[in-house]
């Protein structure tokens, strides 16, 4: 059900796109009844970050998620790059993914704003659940390489200084009564006021330490994504109540560069670490969202239970994005995003997703794929 | 000598059902498999509760030669570099190479990258247990790596051929035709050194291909695989299809062609053109129709753990578990033509064995407890790193 709660024999009543009730012995006089006895029913998978849908990755002109005319482009809104066709090509439903944080790219220090979208819908407007839910930042080697021929930043020193100065200037901006409207600073003010989180990719102990310092300095709501090599800063991250959104380790050698000890991470999780698992995006390669299941597999090998892993893929991810009022658990009032499974697919490869429901509509049924 | 006792054995010999038994290892080879084996002088591993499989075989990696800042597997100065050899580019002490055996991968085919139409020679080697690449080598040369499609078209951006798929195919055919002429002249000359054609290293490297001693190992997606099949037929060569994305559209042709399909890496987002069809579900039909199919990671593009996960994902999307496990063991060995030594547990074969704490490619908790290569324990389990 999300939040680590599991109940046997309960029903889920979906009314249009929303869950109306969850509990034992629900009655539905009109409408379709799905018999799920013997099945496991989970909230749909919430993918923390994914750029697919806004990339235009087969176009020659470069991906639409990476605006690198400047390293600081917080005012970019990923919705403006969204292409419904690209979404419709994907296999999200088969993988049980019902919503995700559609994210700008991996190359600018402050890359733009994240939207929460459903993985299905007839029109673009139907797909978007919430706009401007978070600011996406990147504090990785990818930033340096993106700007190496364009000017600064060339070093992590410069990356830190640029971020620090951006937030300092935004603070100053927010204190002024008379000011010229600055779209970027407006967004940073929302971050400074903790209205929205800063989801920032950092993939080594050094990068994570720098990001933690910045987050503390400006009292930000941080989500550290990618997060390879996060172990050394776990105590600080837990103390701040920040989220770790673990990236896919097999992607383009990303984990190889900075290994993460998952066995320890599982131990930290049991002591209260806010942890979700995500997938592609943080190294910028066009890779599969299905990799969230690969990370789930590795979590299982590291000792996490099936229930813990499902939480990392649903309610924990929704909380990290700040959208847990909408998705990530089976509760009245939440989006009717549901997967009906044979067993728990996180613990056995022959357990499978039987049916995926997005906003009350069945978008996948095993054996009926096109 | 090493004696593994009480393991659940997945031998990968035909579709043999798993059974509990022992493996006796002598001189780097499997000496016996059976119940209640005894050997007083052997070191014993009590593998009760563990699953034994042959070491995993990855038929397509660049591991040890791709890592920045100094990648060494794409010599982008000439689209035909048949004379180059990955043997001189793989650093067995690199971090990515050192990782392979810890994930149960005991052998792999190391090949040049895909920037050129004919990229160069690849070889099969073990992944641990020696100090030099020569120590680890199993078969060299093993394959001639080639590439169709978008990657070699990169020359077009620099105003050179090839800039189209037509151009790629033309260069491919020209190189093979030249090598064929060269070989005929050499054979006609016999012992007469005066009649030998001038030495040509590229043609020399292609002779084993023309003699069917090694296959063309051709990077191709979508309809490029049809071109590959056509060229291999024209020159009467062996071939394997590498990556094979969108192979679902060409099942009849692939089955008729007969070359192994080395599919992967899997799980790409769907785009247009080449970036389509990296769906592991597609291997089922090829396998059902009797084609030899294996799964590949393209390491280090995907990490070595992705090999077993790929087999698991194949199970998730409908491939029977034993068939999926074959795709990362014996089928890969067959695609590399080393199945006499690798890919299954049988007396006489190399003692490359992995012991797991669960059923690999079925239970996600399964992780490596021991990796044994040529009878030596090269890894014992620790924490799981991402």
């Amino acid at each position: 059900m999300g939040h680590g709660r599991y109940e046997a024999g309960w029903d889920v009543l979906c009314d249009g796109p929303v869950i109306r009730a969850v509990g034992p012995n629900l009655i539905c006089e009109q409408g379709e009844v799905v018999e799920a006895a013997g099945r496991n029913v989970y909230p749909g998978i919430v993918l923390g970050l994914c750029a697919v849908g806004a990339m235009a990755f087969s176009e020659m002109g470069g991906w639409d998620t990476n605006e690198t005319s400047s390293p600081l482009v917080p005012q970019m809104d990923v919705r403006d790059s969204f292409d419904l066709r690209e979404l419709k090509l994907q296999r999200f439903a088969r993988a049980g993914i019902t919503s995700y944080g559609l994210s700008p790219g991996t190359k600018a220090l402050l890359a733009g704003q994240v939207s929460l979208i459903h993985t299905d819908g007839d029109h673009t407007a139907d797909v978007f659940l919430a706009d401007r839910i978070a600011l996406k930042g990147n504090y990785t080697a990818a930033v340096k390489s993106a700007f190496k021929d364009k000017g600064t930043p060339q070093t992590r020193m410069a990356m830190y200084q640029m971020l620090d100065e951006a937030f300092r200037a935004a603070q100053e901006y927010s204190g002024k009564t008379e000011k010229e409207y600055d779209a970027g600073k407006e967004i940073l003010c929302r971050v400074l006021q903790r209205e929205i989180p800063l989801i920032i990719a950092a993939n080594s102990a050094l990068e994570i330490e720098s990001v933690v310092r910045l987050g503390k300095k400006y009292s930000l709501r941080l989500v550290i994504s990618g997060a390879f090599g996060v172990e050394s800063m776990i105590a600080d991250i837990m103390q701040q109540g920040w989220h770790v959104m673990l990236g896919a380790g097999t992607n383009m050698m990303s984990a190889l560069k900075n290994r993460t000890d998952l066995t320890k991470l599982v131990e930290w999780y049991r002591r209260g670490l806010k942890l979700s698992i995500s997938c592609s995006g943080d190294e910028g390669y066009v890779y599969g969202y299905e990799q969230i299941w690969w990370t789930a597999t590795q979590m299982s090998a590291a000792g996490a239970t099936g229930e813990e892993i499902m939480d990392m893929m649903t309610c924990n991810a929704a909380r990290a994005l700040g959208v847990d009022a909408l998705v990530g658990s089976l509760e009245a009032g939440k989006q009717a995003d549901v997967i009906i499974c044979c067993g728990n697919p996180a613990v056995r490869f022959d357990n499978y997703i039987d049916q995926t429901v997005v906003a009350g509509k069945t978008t996948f049924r095993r054996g009926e794929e096109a | 000598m090493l004696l593994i006792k009480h393991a659940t054995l997945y031998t990968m010999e035909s579709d043999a059902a798993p059974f509990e038994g022992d493996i006796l290892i002598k001189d780097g080879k499997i000496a016996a498999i059976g119940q209640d084996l005894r050997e007083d002088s052997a070191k014993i591993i009590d593998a009760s509760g563990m699953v034994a499989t042959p070491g995993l075989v990855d038929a397509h990696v660049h591991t040890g030669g791709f890592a920045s800042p100094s990648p060494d597997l794409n010599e982008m100065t000439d689209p035909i570099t048949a004379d180059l050899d990955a043997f001189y580019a793989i650093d067995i002490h690199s971090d990515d190479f050192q990782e392979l055996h810890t994930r149960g991968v005991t052998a792999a085919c190391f090949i040049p990258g895909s920037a050129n139409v004919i990229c160069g020679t690849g070889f099969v080697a073990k992944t641990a247990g020696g100090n030099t690449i020569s120590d680890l080598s199993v078969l060299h040369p093993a394959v001639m790596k080639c590439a169709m499609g978008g990657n070699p078209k990169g020359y077009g951006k620099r105003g050179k051929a090839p800039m189209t798929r037509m151009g790629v195919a033309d260069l491919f055919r020209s190189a093979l035709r030249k090598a064929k002429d060269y070989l005929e002249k050499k054979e006609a000359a016999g012992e007469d050194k005066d009649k030998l054609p001038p030495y040509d290293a590229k043609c020399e490297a292609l002779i084993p291909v023309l003699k069917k001693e090694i296959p063309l190992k051709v990077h191709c997606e979508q309809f490029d695989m049809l071109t590959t099949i056509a060229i291999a037929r024209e020159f009467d060569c062996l071939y394997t299809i590498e990556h094979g994305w969108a192979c679902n559209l060409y099942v009849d042709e692939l089955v008729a062609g007969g070359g192994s399909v080395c599919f992967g890496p899997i799980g790409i987002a769907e785009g247009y053109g080449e970036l389509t069809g990296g769906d592991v579900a597609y291997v089922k039909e090829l396998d059902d129709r009797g084609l030899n199919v294996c799964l590949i990671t393209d390491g280090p593009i995907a990490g070595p753990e992705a090999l077993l996960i790929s087999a698991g994902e194949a199970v998730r999307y409908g491939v029977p578990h034993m068939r999926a496990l074959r795709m990362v063991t014996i089928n890969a060995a067959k695609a590399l033509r080393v199945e006499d030594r690798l890919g299954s547990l049988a007396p006489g074969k190399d003692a490359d064995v992995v012991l797991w704490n669960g059923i690999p490619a079925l239970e996600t908790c399964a992780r490596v407890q021991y990796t044994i290569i040529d009878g030596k324990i090269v890894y014992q389990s620790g924490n799981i790193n991402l």
Side-chain angles (χ1 to χ4, degrees):
Chain A
M1 294 172 61
H3 313 291
R5 278 188 65 196
Y6 291 85
E7 297 283 355
W10 280 24
D11 305 333
V12 180
L13 178 60
C14 304
D15 186 5
V18 177
I19 296 171
R20 192 198 288 172
V22 178
N25 307 315
L26 298 183
I27 292 165
C28 171
E29 285 172 356
Q30 296 169 320
E32 180 194 4
V33 175
V34 179
E35 177 55 51
R39 293 288 196 242
N40 288 7
V41 179
Y42 301 97
I45 307 300
V46 181
L47 201 53
L49 290 175
C50 185
V52 174
M55 294 175 87
F57 50 69
S58 304
E59 277 182 21
M60 297 301 283
W63 297 347
D64 273 340
T65 43
N66 282 318
E67 178 68 36
T68 51
S69 49
S70 156
L72 299 169
V73 288
Q75 69 275 23
M76 296 299 144
D77 185 342
V78 72
R79 183 165 180 151
D80 298 324
S81 286
F82 179 74
D83 174 5
L84 188 62
R85 281 185 315 164
E86 190 171 299
L87 179 75
K88 285 186 175 292
L89 286 172
Q90 310 306 327
R91 301 179 292 262
F92 283 115
R94 192 181 74 172
I97 299 164
T98 54
S99 66
Y100 63 94
L102 179 68
S103 171
T106 55
K107 296 186 174 177
L109 264 176
L110 294 176
Q113 299 157 83
V114 178
S115 290
L116 180 71
I117 69 170
H118 264 147
T119 52
D120 192 78
D122 292 334
H123 304 96
T124 295
D126 305 334
V127 168
F128 279 75
L129 273 164
D131 288 329
R132 299 180 291 281
I133 59 170
L135 176 62
K136 176 73 196 314
N138 300 289
Y139 196 84
T140 66
V143 177
K144 280 197 339 176
S145 55
F147 289 92
K148 73 179 188 306
D149 299 323
K150 296 181 183 176
T152 189
Q154 303 269 318
T155 60
R156 287 187 177 76
M157 298 187 293
M159 282 162 54
Y160 190 89
Q161 166 58 17
M162 290 180 93
L163 276 182
D164 190 23
E165 171 54 22
F167 280 106
R168 188 209 60 78
Q171 247 176 0
E172 185 179 279
Y173 176 87
S174 71
K176 283 184 183 165
T177 44
E178 290 203 4
K179 55 197 171 191
E180 196 177 327
Y181 182 82
D182 182 315
K185 289 197 178 97
E186 291 286 334
I187 305 304
L188 292 185
C189 287
R190 293 188 68 205
V191 176
L192 285 166
Q193 287 154 13
R194 300 172 67 91
E195 267 180 56
I196 57 173
L198 171 64
I199 305 177
I200 189 156
N203 280 334
S204 71
L206 169 66
E207 289 166 0
I208 291 168
E209 185 171 353
S210 301
V211 161
V212 164
R213 178 176 284 268
L214 187 91
K216 281 185 183 171
K217 182 171 179 182
Y218 293 100
S219 299
L220 306 178
R221 272 172 65 193
L222 276 195
V223 179
I224 299 171
S225 71
F228 307 125
V230 74
E231 296 100 303
S232 62
M233 296 305 293
I234 287 283
D236 289 71
I237 291 167
M238 284 175 70
Q239 195 184 20
Q240 296 291 326
W242 290 336
H243 288 260
V244 170
M245 189 181 277
L246 194 67
T250 59
N251 186 18
M252 268 311 250
M253 306 176 267
S254 48
L256 185 67
K257 292 169 196 156
N258 301 285
R259 282 283 170 195
T260 300
D261 185 332
L262 294 188
T263 313
K264 277 190 192 158
L265 220 51
V266 172
E267 287 167 18
W268 285 108
Y269 180 70
R270 288 173 183 160
R271 286 189 246 159
L273 173 68
K274 295 175 177 173
L275 178 65
S276 57
I277 56 179
S278 184
C279 68
S280 64
D282 279 355
E283 289 290 319
Y285 187 58
V286 184
Y287 228 86
Y289 31 85
E290 290 139 320
Q291 281 188 339
I292 191 172
W293 289 103
W294 305 15
T295 309
T297 295
Q298 289 173 284
M299 278 290 177
S300 174
T305 67
E307 284 78 12
E308 286 171 333
I309 297 166
M310 291 308 291
D311 285 349
M312 291 176 200
M313 295 201 283
T314 56
C315 53
N316 295 6
R319 284 196 202 113
L321 294 172
V323 295
D324 45 322
L326 288 169
V327 295
S329 57
L330 299 178
E331 290 174 299
K334 306 249 168 118
Q335 292 292 306
D337 299 346
V338 182
I339 54 175
I340 301 170
C341 304
C342 174
N344 183 335
V347 299
R348 281 180 70 94
F349 286 109
D350 60 349
N351 288 344
Y352 54 86
I353 297 167
D354 219 10
Q355 190 172 343
T356 301
V357 176
V358 177
K361 185 182 142 198
T362 296
T363 56
F364 168 79
R365 233 187 270 269
R366 188 175 168 95
E368 292 178 14
E369 295 106 291
Chain B
M1 273 189 289
L2 190 62
L3 180 57
I4 300 166
K5 298 285 288 178
H6 310 304
T8 302
L9 303 177
Y10 283 69
T11 65
M12 297 295 114
E13 285 283 301
S14 66
D15 276 341
F19 58 94
E20 195 186 304
D22 308 339
I23 306 170
L24 179 65
I25 294 168
K26 279 184 192 170
D27 302 323
K29 301 281 181 185
I30 296 173
I33 291 176
Q35 267 84 26
D36 301 319
L37 298 182
R38 285 173 192 279
E39 180 61 59
D40 291 342
S41 56
K43 175 185 162 71
I44 290 177
I45 297 176
D46 179 5
S48 304
M50 294 189 206
V51 170
T53 67
L56 307 184
V57 181
D58 194 335
H60 181 128
V61 301
H62 311 288
T63 311
F66 245 18
S68 57
S70 183
D72 269 319
L73 286 168
N74 281 311
E75 177 68 35
M76 291 188 279
T77 51
D78 183 345
I80 304 293
T81 52
D83 50 334
L84 302 187
D85 191 336
F87 204 76
Y88 306 106
I90 302 301
D91 176 5
I92 70 165
H93 301 288
S94 61
D95 290 346
D96 54 345
F97 193 103
Q98 292 287 321
E99 196 78 21
L100 291 169
H101 71 281
T102 69
R103 307 307 175 109
V105 179
T106 57
C109 185
F110 297 86
I111 53 178
S114 54
N116 293 339
V117 177
I118 299 184
C119 318
T121 292
F123 63 98
V124 179
K126 300 290 174 73
T127 57
N131 289 320
T132 65
I133 195 70
S134 303
D135 292 345
L136 300 181
S137 180
V138 172
L139 184 63
H140 174 225
V143 298
M144 180 59 65
K145 171 72 190 306
C146 308
M148 309 294 287
N151 289 3
K153 277 170 63 178
Y155 282 90
K157 291 177 194 152
R158 291 182 269 155
K160 292 182 180 174
M163 54 177 62
T164 61
R165 284 185 163 75
M166 299 184 291
V168 171
D170 178 51
L171 284 177
F172 201 167
R173 286 191 170 97
S174 300
L176 287 169
R177 191 166 300 119
K178 190 176 169 194
K180 198 172 169 218
D181 291 346
Y182 180 85
L183 177 58
E184 282 166 6
K185 281 180 189 154
K186 253 185 101 167
E187 285 173 346
E191 297 298 308
D192 187 347
K193 285 185 181 170
D194 294 333
K195 287 187 180 165
L196 280 177
Y199 184 82
D200 185 322
K202 291 177 184 176
C203 291
E204 286 286 340
L206 288 170
I207 287 174
V209 172
L210 296 168
K211 289 185 168 175
K212 290 188 164 182
E213 291 164 3
I214 63 173
L216 296 165
K217 191 171 182 68
V218 189
H219 167 118
C220 42
E221 294 103 11
Q222 51 168 353
F223 58 89
D224 294 327
M225 53 193 84
L226 299 184
T227 312
T228 296
I229 293 169
I231 290 174
R233 189 173 293 141
E234 285 162 38
F235 291 91
D236 193 24
C237 300
L238 302 169
Y239 72 90
T240 62
I241 300 290
E242 304 297 308
H243 305 302
W245 292 346
C247 61
N248 59 311
L249 301 176
Y250 309 104
V251 172
D252 290 339
E253 293 89 340
L254 288 165
V255 170
S260 295
V261 173
C262 305
F263 190 84
I266 65 164
I268 54 159
E270 287 289 305
Y272 306 87
E274 282 191 12
L275 289 171
T276 54
D279 184 348
V280 71
Y282 296 156
V283 300
K284 185 176 185 333
E285 190 181 358
L286 295 175
D287 183 63
D288 286 347
R289 296 207 24 203
L291 202 63
N292 188 54
V293 181
C294 59
L295 296 164
I296 61 171
T297 65
D298 205 14
I301 301 301
E305 60 280 359
L307 188 61
L308 186 67
I309 292 175
S310 297
E313 292 287 288
V315 172
R316 201 189 292 288
Y317 297 115
V319 175
H321 174 243
M322 288 297 252
R323 304 298 304 175
L325 213 44
R326 291 174 73 84
M327 291 178 188
V328 292
T329 54
I330 188 67
N331 289 10
K334 282 180 184 163
L336 300 172
R337 294 152 54 92
V338 290
E339 72 271 27
D340 56 328
R341 284 184 59 182
L342 310 181
S344 67
L345 300 176
K349 282 199 162 186
D350 289 11
D352 298 348
V353 184
V354 182
L355 299 177
W356 312 81
N357 67 337
I359 304 169
L362 195 58
E363 296 172 336
T364 57
C365 65
R367 58 174 159 145
V368 177
Q369 302 299 300
Y370 288 86
T371 306
I372 295 159
I373 294 181
D374 293 327
K376 282 191 285 188
I377 298 170
V378 292
Y379 174 77
Q380 270 185 268
S381 69
N383 281 6
I384 283 288
N385 288 316
L386 183 64

